[in-house]
Amino acid sequence: MSWSRQSKWHGASLMARNIFNQPPKDEKESAAPSPAPVKSSKLPGSVGGLRDSLREITANSIRDIEPDRIDMDGLRDRLILEDSSIEDLAESIRKHGQQVPIMVRPSDQPDRYRIIYGRRRLAAIRRVGGTVKAIVRTLDDDASLIAQGQENNLRLDPSFIEKSLFIKEMQEAGYKPGVIQDALGLTRQGVSNHRVVIEQLPDELVRLIGPAHGVGRRQWGDLAALSEKAPLVDIARETLASLPDTTPSSDKFQAVYVACSSKARSAANQSARGQTTVVKDNSGSPVGTLSVDGKSIAIKITRKDNPEFGQWLEERAETTLRELFEQWQNERGSGS
């Protein structure tokens, strides 16, 4: 092959990379930079160079693919995929076409693909109908996860709790710390800060509230701290049932937090006031009272009502209390 023809192929390859790696930005979403294509071994001579150039053009090209040939794959990086904004995105694509391609990778099954990023765009195009524009890349699991996380961060910054759930799923799936950090652009400490909070929150509570954009680590942490003082999930269900379906997720968080805080304060006040129970014998006559509050437990026997029992208990109270304490120690030891 002549030098001029090789130069043309080289120029075509560079042009393909420039065009296909930097798709135009849409008003709704901006495309993330695509990761570098997998390097293939060079074949000797000009034929090998030509084949390699063709491989790079193919790897970076935007293809029109039928949506039903693309499988939803990988970890979810959003709490809400199918919401009202999907319909808005579908209407935009219906009017102006798909401006930003998704990214997929070949599946193990012939003529099928697995999505890397662009789940919302794919869902919208499935409503509109027709083919979806997709960049096809041959990436392993780690590279796919990093591409997914980075593209999502650049296009629409996920909320604190969405990142936390994504981190939890990645760790449970066995991804290495370095991959997780690269996927979200976080330091090791940043990943730890997200994980500490999500471990204290019931999954159902997070799903009920939603992504809550604008609600940060401190606020979610304050809600998590109430888990020992109030039944968060039950309170959330009751609170959210009274709100309109169109209530923004951040407003849902505030409503749930206020309700849980109120319930926790009420329980604390009731505990501080204490509770007194009248203990009766088999005939229904009062024997004494048991008073419990946040600071002490007290047993009270009225000498006027039971003078003889009062005298008997006074003589044995110290020994009886010590025996009860030893019994508790033995039961605790045998149960550990």
Side-chain angles (χ1 to χ4, degrees):
M1 178 181 292
S2 66
W3 180 87
S4 60
R5 292 181 65 186
Q6 292 186 41
S7 298
K8 290 180 180 180
W9 274 111
H10 181 66
S13 177
L14 289 176
M15 182 177 295
R17 282 197 295 270
N18 290 334
I19 293 174
F20 298 134
N21 281 344
Q22 301 177 7
K25 293 184 178 181
D26 182 40
E27 293 181 358
K28 300 285 184 181
E29 298 171 316
S30 61
S34 301
V38 177
K39 293 183 179 180
S40 58
S41 58
K42 298 282 186 178
L43 295 176
S46 58
V47 175
L50 174 59
R51 289 182 181 176
D52 195 58
S53 296
L54 288 173
R55 284 197 189 98
E56 290 191 17
I57 293 173
T58 302
N60 289 284
S61 64
I62 299 176
R63 306 184 194 176
D64 290 324
I65 301 175
E66 293 293 338
D68 59 6
R69 288 165 51 194
I70 302 175
D71 299 321
M72 285 298 199
D73 186 44
L75 304 179
R76 289 283 296 272
D77 52 16
R78 289 174 179 269
L79 273 170
I80 300 175
L81 179 62
E82 294 287 348
D83 60 4
S84 58
S85 66
I86 294 292
E87 188 57 45
D88 294 337
L89 181 57
E91 183 61 26
S92 175
I93 292 174
R94 187 179 291 111
K95 290 181 179 179
H96 309 293
Q98 181 190 350
Q99 299 298 313
V100 182
I102 68 173
M103 180 176 283
V104 298
R105 56 176 172 162
S107 172
D108 294 337
Q109 302 178 18
D111 206 27
R112 295 198 64 81
Y113 302 89
R114 300 159 63 187
I115 191 155
I116 296 175
Y117 63 67
R119 288 162 176 75
R120 294 178 69 256
R121 275 162 280 176
L122 179 59
I125 291 171
R126 281 175 171 163
R127 295 189 182 190
V128 173
T131 58
V132 57
K133 297 182 184 301
I135 300 172
V136 181
R137 285 292 181 83
T138 303
L139 302 177
D140 62 20
D141 289 344
D142 286 357
S144 296
L145 187 74
I146 292 172
Q148 176 186 351
Q150 290 182 348
E151 195 269 353
N152 196 43
N153 281 337
L154 289 172
R155 178 171 41 81
L156 177 62
D157 189 32
S159 67
F160 171 84
I161 203 65
E162 285 182 309
K163 287 183 179 179
S164 300
L165 278 175
F166 195 28
I167 288 170
K168 181 181 178 182
E169 291 190 3
M170 285 189 284
Q171 289 180 329
E172 291 177 350
Y175 285 97
K176 296 179 180 179
V179 174
I180 297 173
Q181 293 170 35
D182 289 343
L184 291 176
L186 294 173
T187 63
R188 181 177 180 181
Q189 184 60 48
V191 171
S192 176
N193 291 341
H194 285 73
R195 186 63 194 263
V196 166
V197 174
I198 196 64
E199 286 180 343
Q200 302 177 66
L201 291 166
D203 287 345
E204 185 177 355
L205 176 69
V206 176
R207 305 290 176 184
L208 286 170
I209 293 175
H213 288 280
V215 179
R217 173 193 171 196
R218 182 185 60 80
Q219 293 164 291
W220 279 104
D222 290 344
L223 180 59
L226 298 174
S227 60
E228 297 180 357
K229 304 174 184 178
L232 302 186
V233 174
D234 293 340
I235 296 173
R237 285 201 202 100
E238 182 179 353
T239 302
L240 298 178
S242 63
L243 298 179
D245 294 337
T246 56
T247 302
S249 180
S250 56
D251 291 345
K252 290 181 180 179
F253 175 91
Q254 296 299 335
V256 170
Y257 178 74
V258 169
C260 290
S261 298
S262 177
K263 192 74 172 180
R265 285 195 300 269
S266 177
N269 292 336
Q270 183 176 357
S271 177
R273 288 194 300 269
Q275 182 177 1
T276 300
T277 304
V278 177
V279 181
K280 300 179 180 180
D281 62 16
N282 293 333
S283 65
S285 300
V287 174
T289 57
L290 174 65
S291 299
V292 180
D293 59 27
K295 297 181 179 180
S296 64
I297 300 174
I299 298 175
K300 183 178 180 180
I301 306 298
T302 305
R303 292 183 184 275
K304 178 181 178 181
D305 297 333
N306 295 289
E308 294 181 3
F309 175 62
Q311 181 65 33
W312 181 88
L313 182 60
E314 182 180 358
E315 295 172 356
R316 295 167 175 78
E318 186 176 342
T319 302
T320 302
L321 182 59
R322 187 180 295 110
E323 289 175 350
L324 289 172
F325 183 76
E326 291 175 354
Q327 180 181 346
W328 170 77
Q329 284 185 314
N330 292 333
E331 290 178 355
R332 186 180 64 167
S334 62
S336 61

